[in-house]
């Protein structure tokens, strides 16, 4: 099971499939015509983490197995105006996106007359609005369907149904104004209900400005305009700029050649690394590590997770029988040649049930069996 699932949406021919292919190294269609992605593409990607590499080098378990955490990417057919009424193909697969943790909205910020565009020319702000509107319309159908199902219960005086109907009416009014569900500020009693609807526009969103190779050095005015628009309208959203074509070229190279290629292009990191890091920040995720006799492994939990909750990621019995966790930060560990040396120096802390896991923690769980 992946620690993070990201659904990729956007208009046709914005570079979705090209980026998906680069991220997952899967050979998927990426042709110059609308709807070349027919069925949803799903790929599991290992999360690059130099800290895990360092731990593996220092510890080298008996079976020499290193297990990174993973991200699942889901790519569907491009959405077009009218998708909510059946135009195009993308709307058929939105249910698959509903299962993800966040939405990655790819927006074309490059101009290439040889690559078709549904509106002849890319306009990042308009294109963003077109896709957002279709997602809102798809969510509106969900809300209206739910309202129909509980209307009789609410009319009969059922308290919970009446309370839910109030939330649904607010959501419907918001959508009629063209606003996404993520702008709703639910009360504590409503949070669970809102999550249960699995609304597309309630999910956190990461905008990816797909720029041209010529914009890598000097920057892209279109990407900057998009970033400013997102910052003004959605303070909680994130925006990154990358060149999907370059990322696809990098992905085809052997691992040992990728760093040199990126450096030659003036890039410090691959788009995959930046996208995943931004996704983790968007969702408030942190990584901790475990070291056992057979493996060194990375795990992902939400910010604010306690030590017992982290233990539950490893095994449910560890959470139920939790006693304590021995912990050392990755930064503290790097001052030693090995874990044995760090332990001998007394650098491992003993933490109890209330300990909040920090990014980079190395944890050893003690539990009743």
């Amino acid at each position: 099971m992946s620690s993070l699932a990201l659904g990729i949406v956007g208009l046709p021919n914005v570079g979705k499939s090209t980026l998906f292919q680069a991220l997952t190294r899967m050979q998927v269609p990426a042709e110059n015509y609308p709807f070349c992605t027919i069925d949803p593409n799903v790929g599991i990607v290992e999360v690059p983490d130099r800290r895990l590499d360092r731990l593996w080098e220092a510890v080298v378990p008996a079976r020499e197995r290193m297990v990174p955490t993973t991200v699942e990417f889901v790519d569907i057919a491009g959405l077009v105006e009218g998708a909510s009424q059946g135009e195009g193909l993308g709307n058929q697969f939105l249910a698959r996106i509903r299962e993800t943790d966040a939405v990655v909205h790819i927006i074309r910020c490059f101009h290439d007359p040889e690559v078709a565009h549904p509106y002849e020319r890319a306009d990042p702000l308009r294109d963003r609005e077109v896709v957002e509107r279709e997602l809102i319309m798809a969510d509106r159908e969900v809300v209206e369907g739910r309202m129909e199902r509980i209307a009789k219960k609410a009319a009969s005086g059922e308290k919970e149904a009446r309370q839910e109907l109030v939330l649904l009416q607010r959501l419907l009014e918001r959508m009629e104004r063209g606003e996404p569900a993520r702008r709703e500020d639910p009360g504590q009693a409503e949070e669970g209900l809102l999550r249960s609807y699995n609304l597309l526009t309630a999910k956190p969103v990461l905008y990816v400005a797909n720029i041209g190779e010529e914009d890598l050095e000097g920057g892209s005015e279109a990407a900057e305009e998009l970033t400013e628009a997102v910052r003004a309208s959605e303070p909680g959203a994130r925006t990154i700029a990358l060149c999907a074509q370059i990322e696809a070229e990098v992905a085809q190279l052997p691992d040992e050649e990728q760093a040199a290629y990126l450096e030659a292009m003036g890039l410090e990191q691959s788009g995959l690394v930046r996208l995943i890091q931004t996704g983790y920040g968007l969702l408030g995720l942190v990584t901790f590590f475990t070291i056992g006799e057979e493996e060194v492994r990375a795990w992902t939990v939400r910010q604010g997770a306690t030590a017992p909750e982290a233990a539950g990621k490893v095994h449910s019995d560890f959470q139920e029988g939790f006693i304590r966790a021995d912990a050392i930060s990755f930064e503290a560990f790097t001052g030693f040649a090995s874990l044995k040396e760090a332990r001998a120096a007394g650098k491992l802390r003993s933490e109890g049930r209330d300990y909040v896991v920090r990014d980079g923690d190395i944890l050893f769980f003690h539990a009743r069996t």
Side-chain angles (χ1 to χ4, degrees), residues 216-293:
L216 286 175
E217 184 174 350
S220 164
E221 291 185 6
E224 292 174 3
E225 185 180 10
L226 173 65
T227 300
E228 289 300 319
V230 170
R231 185 179 293 120
S233 60
E234 295 191 64
R238 306 287 179 91
T239 306
I240 64 171
L242 54 77
C243 178
Q245 188 58 48
I246 293 297
E247 297 299 329
E249 293 174 8
V250 171
Q252 294 175 6
L253 295 173
D255 291 345
E256 61 272 14
E257 297 179 16
Q258 292 186 10
Y261 185 88
L262 288 170
E263 184 178 353
M265 298 301 298
L267 301 172
E268 295 181 1
Q269 296 176 309
S270 71
L272 168 63
V273 172
R274 291 195 295 122
L275 195 154
I276 291 176
Q277 288 178 344
T278 306
Y280 268 52
L282 180 68
L283 290 168
L285 302 176
V286 297
T287 300
F288 72 92
F289 305 97
T290 58
I291 298 172
E293 294 181 359

Side-chain angles (χ1 to χ4, degrees), residues 43-69:
I44 305 295
V45 177
E46 294 182 350
V47 176
D49 195 323
R50 293 177 182 176
R51 298 173 300 181
L52 184 63
D53 297 334
R54 170 70 179 84
L55 287 175
W56 183 79
E57 292 170 358
V59 178
V60 189
R63 296 191 180 179
E64 300 186 359
R65 187 169 66 162
M66 180 174 66
V67 185
T69 189

Side-chain angles (χ1 to χ4, degrees), residues 33 170 194 228 308 328 340 352:
Y33 57 86
R170 290 206 316 269
L194 183 57
E228 289 300 319
I328 182 173
K340 181 179 180 180

